[in-house]
Amino acid sequence: MTRWIRTALGAVGVGFGLWGLRLLLQAVSVDALVRLPLWLGGAVVTDDFFLVPLTVAAGWLLTRWSIGPGRHRIVGVVRTTLLYVGVTTVVAIPLLIRQGKGVNPTVLPRDYLRDWLLLEATIIVAGVVIGVLQGRRLIFSKSRASSGDIGGR
């Protein structure tokens, strides 16, 4: 039964892939099809030689920072905040680069730099607030532990 389900799902996936390939070949010119592998190769090179080392360095710095007393408790908040900032930045880069360029200026009419900065500021503020709340909860739990008021006594 499981083998049959896997085979059926694989066939559906291959069917969708072939349908997408057909749509791609119909919608994109031959010139763009030649440039597509170059763009995809550039994305791989950018990922391997820029984003991965940057992520590893940020993780190493965060780990070194978290060695201090009590800091290890908010590492999750810092990591999550950095992850959200990174993902939204990667998504926003094409909009930031292409804004105001092209034949039709109404295609990207918004101020994407301002909107992106507001989004990043909101994410960072939310991360700081959650970090402060967790830090206060940590202080509260330490004070309860030192007073002997644990377990409903």
Side-chain angles (χ1 to χ4, degrees), residues 41-60:
V44 169
V45 168
T46 301
D47 180 59
D48 289 349
F49 292 108
F50 179 70
L51 293 177
V52 170
L54 185 67
T55 304
V56 169
W60 182 81

Side-chain angles (χ1 to χ4, degrees), residues 20-38:
L21 180 64
R22 184 178 139 247
L23 292 175
L24 176 71
L25 293 175
Q26 288 176 348
V28 178
S29 68
V30 175
D31 184 44
L33 285 174
V34 171
R35 288 191 320 246
L36 183 63
L38 295 174

